[in-house]
Amino acid sequence: MLLCLLLVAFLVNISLGSVDIPLEDIVKILFGNETIKGSWQDIILDFRLPKSITAILVGSGLSISGLLMQTLFRNPLAGPFVLGISSGASLGVALLILGTSTFAGAAATLSISNVGIALAASLGAFFVLSVVMLVARNIKNTMSILIIGLMFGSFTAAIISILAYFSSAESLQQYVFWTFGSLGNLAWSEILILLLVTMLSLVLVITIIKPLNSLLLGENYAVSLGVNLKKTRNLTMIVTGLLTGVITAFSGPIAFIGLAVPHLTKLIIKTSDHKIILPAVSIIGAIIMLFSDTIAQLPTSEYTLPINAVTSLFGAPVVIWLLIRKRNSY
């Protein structure tokens, strides 16, 4: 049923836009029929199809990351960005865009390209992930790692604020637009990288499904069952870092999907078994991201809303509901 709903969401997303294209012609274009109007083929194959595939990969990746973090920290309000990886990516982009007046001309040239921004975000995310992993080696308490990640987020936010204060209006505007998030700027080569990273992360997650199920009952219980806690924790953080870092690099910091989707999935599918919940979270995350993008592009209008604004409008009420529910459960 979820796969059928995913197909419906995909067709709705690819059908709606500023140009009205009949669904029948869209299906023919997807199946390689070249008799359809050339401009319509360009719109579908060069813009709408890459954007829809990106939405599926981003929604799945962020939802899986959120599920992993909520399982690892046993905290319902943990998300894919709690390790500070997204903040590291934002810092990398801020250093490139907002710091162009300080750096050489080569940096200024790179900053206006998608490749330069993606590279800076990837380096920033990798740096923070490396530091968190290094610190985690000497910490046994998992909750301490959560606090360290949050502190990294505050630290990078402070640096970005300083850079923004001294930057030009044009650079600041470019950085703000990046923080809005975007699904429509990726080339096929970049989508391929995103796909490979997502597939690699899924393979790694499959190897730790049993340890993740054990962690649901606490770290002590997992250790008593013979789970290698350090290995499971490190692999979980690596997978989350890979997914969050690459997605943030290519699409910007998209909020709330990773936080809200795991809870919605558990409401629909009454289980915590990762063999079932993991694929369900992946599919539901893709569905919600597709519908969010459909809303963001304001069908029949030439204007589009920032995808981050739409996902936040969806996610914020869920978080508020979770807090109220948690309070009432005591």
Side-chain angles (χ1 to χ4, degrees):
M1 289 176 64
L2 287 176
L3 288 174
C4 291
L5 187 57
L6 176 62
L7 178 60
V8 171
F10 173 77
L11 291 175
V12 169
N13 182 262
I14 207 172
S15 301
L16 299 177
S18 58
V19 177
D20 185 22
I21 303 176
L23 181 59
E24 180 182 354
D25 291 333
I26 292 174
V27 174
K28 290 179 180 178
I29 291 172
L30 293 177
F31 280 96
N33 189 328
E34 298 182 357
T35 61
I36 308 300
K37 187 188 298 184
S39 60
W40 286 2
Q41 292 189 41
D42 293 337
I43 291 172
I44 297 299
L45 299 178
D46 296 335
F47 180 71
R48 291 189 188 177
L49 181 60
K51 186 159 63 68
S52 296
I53 294 175
T54 302
I56 292 172
L57 294 175
V58 169
S60 296
L62 290 178
S63 300
I64 291 171
S65 298
L67 177 65
L68 293 177
M69 289 295 95
Q70 289 170 14
T71 300
L72 179 64
F73 296 115
R74 285 180 294 139
N75 187 331
L77 297 179
F81 302 133
V82 295
L83 294 179
I85 297 166
S86 175
S87 300
S90 299
L91 178 61
V93 174
L95 287 171
L96 186 64
I97 296 177
L98 304 180
T100 50
S101 58
T102 306
F103 300 130
T109 303
L110 275 174
S111 68
I112 60 174
S113 68
N114 290 334
V115 175
I117 291 176
L119 180 62
S122 299
L123 290 174
F126 178 76
F127 171 74
V128 171
L129 176 63
S130 301
V131 174
V132 171
M133 292 290 293
L134 187 64
V135 173
R137 292 176 57 186
N138 302 317
I139 295 178
K140 293 183 179 180
N141 188 354
T142 303
M143 290 304 297
S144 298
I145 300 175
L146 174 61
I147 295 172
I148 289 171
L150 294 174
M151 291 305 100
F152 267 112
S154 299
F155 179 74
T156 55
I159 297 177
I160 292 171
S161 296
I162 294 172
L163 289 171
Y165 183 79
F166 289 104
S167 67
S168 65
E170 183 180 354
S171 298
L172 185 58
Q173 184 185 46
Q174 186 178 3
Y175 176 76
V176 169
F177 277 133
W178 177 79
T179 63
F180 286 161
S182 175
L183 302 173
N185 295 326
L186 271 65
W188 283 110
S189 58
E190 296 168 329
I191 293 175
L192 179 60
I193 294 172
L194 191 58
L195 174 63
L196 292 175
V197 170
T198 303
M199 297 305 295
L200 173 63
S201 300
L202 282 174
V203 171
L204 292 175
V205 170
I206 289 172
T207 64
I208 56 171
I209 282 181
K210 287 185 178 180
L212 288 173
N213 284 336
S214 301
L215 281 174
L216 292 172
L217 297 175
E219 292 182 358
N220 293 333
Y221 178 80
V223 172
S224 70
L225 292 178
V227 173
N228 188 331
L229 188 60
K230 187 174 182 180
K231 178 183 176 182
T232 302
R233 187 172 67 183
N234 288 341
L235 196 55
T236 302
M237 289 193 297
I238 288 172
V239 170
T240 302
L242 279 173
L243 287 171
T244 307
V246 172
I247 288 172
T248 305
F250 287 128
S251 301
I254 297 176
F256 282 109
I257 291 294
L259 178 61
V261 170
H263 294 290
L264 291 178
T265 304
K266 290 175 184 178
L267 288 175
I268 298 171
I269 302 174
K270 306 291 184 178
T271 181
S272 295
D273 186 354
H274 284 76
K275 289 181 182 179
I276 300 173
I277 205 72
L278 187 68
V281 159
S282 176
I283 296 171
I284 291 176
I287 292 170
I288 291 176
M289 184 57 75
L290 282 169
F291 279 126
S292 296
D293 181 61
T294 302
I295 296 170
Q297 65 190 9
L298 296 175
T300 71
S301 172
E302 60 181 7
Y303 299 103
T304 58
L305 295 174
I307 187 66
N308 225 345
V310 177
T311 55
S312 297
L313 286 172
F314 161 78
V318 174
V319 175
I320 294 171
W321 176 77
L322 285 171
L323 288 170
I324 295 173
R325 185 188 184 196
K326 185 176 181 180
R327 181 180 178 87
N328 291 337
S329 64
Y330 289 113

